Amino acid sequence: MGHEIEAMWLDGRPVGEVGPAHATAAALGVPVAVLTGDDRACEEMTAWDTSATTVAVKYARDRFAAELRPRAPASPGSTPPPGAHDPLCQRFCHPRGSRLR
């Protein structure tokens, strides 16, 4: 499919797209509060920073495909995925149509 990047390593461990973004934010002193993405991105974020809230909105099936989660399980108030910190999620997540205060 072209000349894609086959693998990336940071601090001696393989990383996906989250690792370089988190490293850049950390270098600038910016904390990562919330990450939404596929289950593997959420796992990677939790490995870098356990204080960040993660919400898996889809399941990675392979490098080029994902299966979306049904709306209810991926919505605020539902059971958070492993690694998510619910109190922080409640602060940042809001139901569709509501306004942030």
Side-chain angles (χ1 to χ4, degrees):
M1 294 194 87
H3 295 72
E4 297 92 14
I5 295 172
E6 293 295 326
M8 292 188 297
W9 292 76
L10 184 61
D11 289 338
R13 60 181 170 176
V15 295
E17 62 187 281
V18 173
H22 181 267
T24 302
L28 296 172
V30 178
V32 176
V34 177
L35 175 123
T36 62
D38 64 37
D39 54 334
R40 292 183 189 160
C42 291
E43 290 171 9
E44 182 180 355
M45 184 69 233
T46 301
W48 284 106
D49 185 353
T50 58
S51 67
T53 297
T54 61
V55 180
V57 295
K58 55 190 173 182
Y59 300 107
R61 292 298 174 226
D62 65 31
R63 187 172 172 188
F64 300 107
E67 179 182 340
L68 296 177
R69 291 182 70 192
R71 183 171 180 221
S75 298
S78 64
T79 304
H85 303 280
D86 199 38
L88 187 58
C89 182
Q90 292 304 314
R91 180 174 168 200
F92 290 101
C93 303
H94 57 282
R96 184 176 184 176
S98 70
R99 296 178 183 216
L100 294 175
R101 295 180 191 155

